[in-house]
Amino acid sequence: MKEKKSEIYEKKFSFGISLNIKLDDYEKIIRRYRKYISSVYFSLPLGEKFHTREAVIEEYSQKGAIEKFRNILILFKENDIKLEVVFNQYGISRQKMIDALKYIKNIPIDSICTLDEYADIIREYYPSIYLVSSFNNANKICVDTKRNMYNQIVIGRRFLRDIETIKMVKKNGIDIKLLLNNGCSFNCGTCRMGKQRCREIFEKNLEKFTIEELFALQSFFPFELDVLNSKLGLEYINEFKISNRPCTYEYLNNCLDSYIYGHNKEEEYIKKSKMNYRLWGRLGHFNSYLEVMDIKNVKRIKKEIWDIL
C-alpha cells in the first residue's frame, strides 16, 4: 500500500506490551510506526491474579522484569504514545483492586480497560479516567445501561463487520476500539466460559463450516480495512487493537506492517510462511490447519461475506 494511503491510519493502532521484547526492539517499532501508534496496553506486575496468560505471568517473574517494565513505559510515554492499564482477569478481590489502583498512582496512565465488575471501584479512585470496556465483557453492546460509564468499548467477534452496530455505538457517544486479530469464535460467550468451552465451540463450528470458512469469519485481513473504510469510513473507529501478548518482536513488527502497508498483499505473506495466517487470527485452535488452507480461497470467502453485508 502506498505511503499516502497509509496516512488514514495515523494514531489508530494499539498493541500490548510484552516483556520478552527487548527495549531496543521497541525503539525500532517506534521509529518505524510511531505516527500510527495511538496507545499500548499492559497488565500490572502484581501477581498472577492480574494476568490472563500463563506466559505473561512467566515474563513478569523474571529477574529485572519490573525495571524493564518501567523503562518500556517511559519509552512509549516519551514518544507521545498513550498508556492503558488492563484489568481483564476474573476474580480479583476488592482489596487487590484497591492495591492495584494505588500502585498506578505513580504511572502516568491515560486510560483503564476493565471488566464490568471493577468499573465502579475504578470510578471511585479515578472519577475522570478514560474508561474502556474490555473485550472480555459480555456482548451486550449498547443495551446495557451500565456501559454509559465507559468512554470506549473494545469490540470484535461477530461485531467485526457489523456496520450498523458500530454506527449505533458511535451514535451513543462511545468510542470504538476494534480488536482485529484475536481470532475468537464469532459465537463465543467470552473467556469466562473457560478454555475447554472455547475448544468445544470451535469444534462445533467446524461441523457447520469448512476450516477456510471459519477462518474467514474469525480473522481480519489487511484488505478488509479498505472494505471497512469504503462501507463505513474509518472515522467511526478510534483505534484498532492488535492482540500480540506475549508474542515476539517479529510478530508485532510483521502484524503492524501488514495492516498498515500490506493491503491486498496477503498472498505474499503466506508464501513466506503459513504461520503468517496468525498475524490476522491468533486463535490457537487454527494452528493445526494452517498448512491446508488456501489463501486465495479464504480471501474469496471474505469478499463474499462483505458483499452480503
Side-chain angles (χ1 to χ4, degrees), residues 2 32 36 66-67 79 96 98 106 125 148 154 158 180 202 211 218 222 224 233 236 249 252 281 296 309:
K2 293 180 180 180
R32 186 172 189 192
Y36 304 111
I66 303 303
E67 182 180 1
N79 282 276
K96 285 189 177 294
I98 291 173
N106 297 317
Y125 280 78
N148 289 334
V154 180
R158 64 186 179 89
L180 298 181
F202 178 82
I211 191 63
Q218 295 179 202
E224 293 185 85
Y236 279 85
Y249 159 75
L252 176 58
K296 291 183 179 180
L309 292 178

Side-chain angles (χ1 to χ4, degrees), residues 170-202:
K170 198 69 174 177
K171 183 178 180 181
N172 286 353
I174 303 175
D175 292 339
I176 296 170
K177 183 179 291 188
L178 200 65
L179 179 54
L180 298 181
N181 67 324
N182 215 41
C184 288
S185 297
F186 58 91
N187 53 350
C188 173
T190 80
C191 294
R192 292 181 190 273
M193 301 175 70
K195 294 180 180 179
Q196 181 57 36
R197 183 57 179 157
C198 178
R199 165 62 76 173
E200 291 171 359
I201 291 172
F202 178 82

Side-chain angles (χ1 to χ4, degrees), residues 11 22 33 43 79 82 91 95 106 116 122 127 136 155 172 174 196 225 232 250 253 275:
K11 290 295 182 182
K22 298 177 181 178
Y33 305 109
S43 48
N79 282 276
K82 293 180 289 186
Q95 186 55 55
N106 297 317
D116 285 342
I122 290 171
N136 282 336
I155 62 176
N172 286 353
I174 303 175
Q196 181 57 36
L225 288 177
L232 177 68
E250 287 75 20
N253 180 72
M275 287 299 292

Side-chain angles (χ1 to χ4, degrees), residues 7 23 25 45 66 68 73-74 95-96 126 141 155 180 190 202 286 294 306 308:
E7 299 303 314
L23 193 64
D25 283 334
I66 303 303
K68 182 178 181 180
L73 296 189
I74 291 171
Q95 186 55 55
K96 285 189 177 294
Y126 291 89
I141 297 173
I155 62 176
L180 298 181
T190 80
F202 178 82
F286 283 111
D294 184 321
W306 278 109
I308 64 175

Side-chain angles (χ1 to χ4, degrees), residues 39-259:
S39 66
V40 291
Y41 60 89
F42 54 92
S43 48
L44 296 175
L46 298 176
E48 62 183 42
K49 274 292 183 183
F50 291 89
H51 309 293
T52 58
R53 300 176 185 271
E54 293 180 4
V56 177
I57 296 173
E58 176 64 22
E59 284 181 10
Y60 280 94
S61 67
Q62 298 298 313
K63 183 179 179 181
I66 303 303
E67 182 180 1
K68 182 178 181 180
F69 168 72
R70 291 172 177 165
N71 288 337
I72 291 172
L73 296 189
I74 291 171
L75 175 65
F76 281 110
K77 196 66 177 179
E78 288 178 344
N79 282 276
D80 194 31
I81 294 167
K82 293 180 289 186
L83 304 181
E84 180 173 292
V85 175
V86 176
F87 295 114
N88 61 354
Q89 177 64 294
Y90 310 111
I92 302 175
S93 69
R94 178 178 175 84
Q95 186 55 55
K96 285 189 177 294
M97 277 299 301
I98 291 173
D99 293 341
L101 292 171
K102 290 179 179 178
Y103 181 89
I104 59 177
K105 287 286 186 182
N106 297 317
I107 301 175
I109 62 168
D110 298 281
S111 60
I112 297 177
C113 180
T114 184
L115 296 176
D116 285 342
E117 51 259 53
Y118 311 130
D120 289 330
I121 187 172
I122 290 171
R123 280 297 187 210
E124 289 177 26
Y125 280 78
Y126 291 89
S128 61
I129 195 70
Y130 188 87
L131 198 61
V132 182
S133 175
S134 171
F135 179 68
N136 282 336
N137 284 321
N139 293 327
K140 297 178 290 182
I141 297 173
C142 294
V143 298
D144 187 346
T145 55
K146 184 180 181 64
R147 294 180 185 278
N148 289 334
M149 73 171 63
Y150 291 112
N151 303 102
Q152 185 183 68
I153 185 166
V154 180
I155 62 176
R157 298 188 186 91
R158 64 186 179 89
F159 296 107
L160 270 173
R161 304 172 186 89
D162 191 333
I163 303 298
E164 294 308 312
T165 294
I166 291 173
K167 286 181 178 179
M168 187 186 346
V169 172
K170 198 69 174 177
K171 183 178 180 181
N172 286 353
I174 303 175
D175 292 339
I176 296 170
K177 183 179 291 188
L178 200 65
L179 179 54
L180 298 181
N181 67 324
N182 215 41
C184 288
S185 297
F186 58 91
N187 53 350
C188 173
T190 80
C191 294
R192 292 181 190 273
M193 301 175 70
K195 294 180 180 179
Q196 181 57 36
R197 183 57 179 157
C198 178
R199 165 62 76 173
E200 291 171 359
I201 291 172
F202 178 82
E203 293 177 350
K204 190 71 175 177
N205 286 337
L206 276 179
E207 295 176 8
K208 183 177 180 180
F209 301 97
T210 68
I211 191 63
E212 289 172 342
E213 289 172 336
L214 200 58
F215 191 76
L217 282 166
Q218 295 179 202
S219 61
F220 201 91
F221 280 17
F223 88 88
E224 293 185 85
L225 288 177
D226 291 331
V227 182
L228 184 63
N229 188 34
S230 67
K231 288 182 174 287
L232 177 68
L234 294 188
E235 64 270 15
Y236 279 85
I237 312 297
N238 299 87
E239 290 183 291
F240 295 113
K241 185 171 184 177
I242 301 297
S243 174
N244 65 292
R245 294 192 302 168
C247 293
T248 62
Y249 159 75
E250 287 75 20
Y251 180 92
L252 176 58
N253 180 72
N254 291 340
C255 188
L256 288 171
D257 180 81
S258 70
Y259 279 121

